[in-house]
Amino acid sequence: MRVSRGFFFVALTMFFIISAEVRASDEAFIQGAKKEGALVIYTSMTVDQAQKLNDAFKTKYPFIQPSLFRADGERLLTKIMAEAQAGKYDFDVVQSAETQAYFLKRKNLLAKYVSPEVKNIQKPFFDPDGYWAAVYMMPNVIGYNTRLVKRNEVPKSDEELLNPKWKGKIGMDHSKPEWFSWKVKRMGDKKGLAYMKKLGAQEFKLYSGLTILTSLLAAGEFPLVLNTYLHNVEDAKRKSAPVDWITQDPVFTKFQPIGVGSKAAHPNAARLYIDFMLGEEGQKIIASFGRVPTRGGVQTTAQGIDKLNYVIDDIGAGEDFNKYNDLFRNIFGAPKS
């Protein structure tokens, strides 16, 4: 796995954090959580999957009543920022993509918590300062409808995506510009933007939400989806949809951090929830969805992922989010929904 240079110091830093951090015992957390009795979770995970995790957590800790708010990452961040501006801090735990974690940490909306389960999480999927740890990876893939296109016909290279035969036949999520940002930076702004303008001329079918796009792909609305997440396709395959995926090399990979709210009303319950999500039980449930867990030794249902050449999204890329989001929208247009 190839990672950004900024993460090479993570392991050493985490050693000192874990050594120096003074944490309450599990029993102290449990007693505190019993008094709290509730937990408010903000997440960008699909509702059905988040609910399965919540049900398993509630089975383990029946004295905690979890409640769930779900929105896409950008909308979730907007909600939290608006609430904070109004002096409201409703969430105890937030789980969303690395871009949102970056801004929440900068705005002092996350509290430090180094879960004892972090020692089992692969680097670079935890914050060197101890504010978050990722629960799963999100490799970007090209999804295709197996009834409409053969595997050897699916375009793998950047140039193959420009083939005129794909014009108007590719779906894409317009709400996720991180892939665009990474690709442009990797090529160099001048060359990258020139390529993206050619790609934009392919007249993509734009929608907001990968679940919607995957459903349309399975229904035959278009033969390809560019820049979808591996787990979306794997989940559809698990439900017998005629879809599969291939990757470009290297595989651009996002990830999903989880953290405690800095003003959480139920901080003990929040810490127990994070321990559960990073622990073996939670990670196995996550793997059962076709997602790629960050905990070492937990196998996913997706085949061949151990051979992929990952490039991890740099969490600091959040600094350029607005710039590249505007460029992305200018080139590819507005989503349909």
Side-chain angles (χ1 to χ4, degrees):
M1 183 184 293
R2 191 180 304 163
V3 300
S4 302
R5 287 181 299 171
F7 287 112
F8 283 116
F9 64 92
V10 166
L12 181 61
T13 306
M14 277 307 291
F15 171 79
F16 287 111
I17 289 175
I18 293 171
S19 298
E21 189 85 9
V22 177
R23 299 193 307 267
S25 67
D26 288 349
E27 185 59 31
F29 282 159
I30 290 171
Q31 292 305 317
K34 283 181 177 179
K35 293 178 182 177
E36 294 164 357
L39 176 66
V40 179
I41 303 160
Y42 281 15
T43 184
S44 59
M45 183 182 279
T46 56
V47 172
D48 61 329
Q49 293 180 2
Q51 193 58 57
K52 287 179 182 177
L53 285 159
N54 287 1
D55 290 344
F57 175 73
K58 190 175 178 181
T59 298
K60 188 170 184 177
Y61 301 108
F63 47 84
I64 300 174
Q65 181 59 49
S67 61
L68 184 72
F69 175 83
R70 192 269 171 190
D72 289 337
E74 191 174 347
R75 293 174 185 172
L76 193 63
L77 180 63
T78 299
K79 175 180 171 64
I80 292 172
M81 292 300 188
E83 288 178 348
Q85 191 171 10
K88 291 178 61 181
Y89 304 93
D90 291 343
F91 73 93
D92 298 309
V93 169
V94 59
Q95 178 192 324
S96 192
E98 70 284 352
T99 304
Q100 288 77 52
Y102 175 79
F103 283 114
L104 292 173
K105 178 183 173 183
R106 279 195 58 190
K107 295 294 184 180
N108 298 316
L109 291 169
L110 295 180
K112 277 191 178 183
Y113 175 57
V114 181
S115 168
E117 300 295 341
V118 164
K119 65 181 182 292
N120 300 303
I121 302 301
Q122 305 171 68
K123 62 177 183 178
F125 299 112
F126 45 75
D127 178 36
D129 296 324
Y131 285 90
W132 53 260
V135 294
Y136 55 82
M137 296 182 266
M138 300 184 290
N140 279 226
V141 301
I142 297 174
Y144 65 96
N145 185 302
T146 57
R147 293 174 181 168
L148 299 179
V149 61
K150 296 178 181 178
R151 188 176 184 85
N152 62 4
E153 297 172 337
V154 181
K156 280 190 174 183
S157 71
D158 294 332
E159 289 304 313
E160 287 175 348
L161 285 167
L162 300 179
N163 191 315
K165 74 177 183 178
W166 300 117
K167 190 170 185 175
K169 296 181 179 179
I170 308 176
M172 183 167 66
D173 188 339
H174 195 277
S175 68
K176 294 177 171 52
E178 293 89 349
W179 160 84
F180 172 90
S181 171
W182 171 77
K183 181 73 79 172
V184 170
K185 288 179 181 178
R186 188 166 184 265
M187 290 182 168
D189 275 11
K190 185 176 180 180
K191 182 179 178 181
L193 289 173
Y195 169 77
M196 287 299 176
K197 288 175 182 177
K198 292 179 182 178
L199 188 62
Q202 289 288 64
E203 298 179 2
F204 282 76
K205 304 295 185 182
L206 301 175
Y207 293 85
S208 182
L210 291 175
T211 301
I212 293 171
L213 272 165
T214 306
S215 296
L216 292 171
L217 176 69
E221 185 73 16
F222 30 73
L224 303 176
V225 170
L226 179 65
N227 192 34
T228 187
Y229 295 146
L230 183 151
H231 66 257
N232 286 95
V233 183
E234 281 293 318
D235 186 49
K237 281 176 62 179
R238 191 164 51 88
K239 298 171 183 175
S240 300
V243 296
D244 209 339
W245 55 270
I246 66 165
T247 61
Q248 291 183 296
D249 186 31
V251 183
F252 173 64
T253 305
K254 291 169 61 59
F255 51 94
Q256 185 105 164
I258 190 169
V260 179
S262 58
K263 298 190 178 181
H266 313 104
N268 294 290
R271 292 180 177 95
L272 287 178
Y273 186 77
I274 288 176
D275 291 353
F276 170 78
M277 291 289 281
L278 301 178
E280 188 172 6
E281 182 180 357
Q283 290 281 287
K284 283 183 175 179
I285 295 172
I286 287 168
S288 74
F289 302 146
R291 295 184 184 268
V292 186
T294 53
R295 185 183 178 97
V298 177
Q299 300 299 314
T300 182
T301 58
Q303 299 297 311
I305 62 169
D306 56 326
K307 299 177 182 178
L308 299 182
N309 179 24
Y310 298 113
V311 174
I312 309 301
D313 190 18
D314 185 350
I315 197 165
E319 287 285 358
D320 299 323
F321 181 87
N322 291 333
K323 169 188 171 182
Y324 285 100
N325 187 42
D326 289 343
L327 287 169
F328 183 39
R329 290 176 181 270
N330 287 338
I331 291 172
F332 289 98
K336 292 185 178 181
S337 60

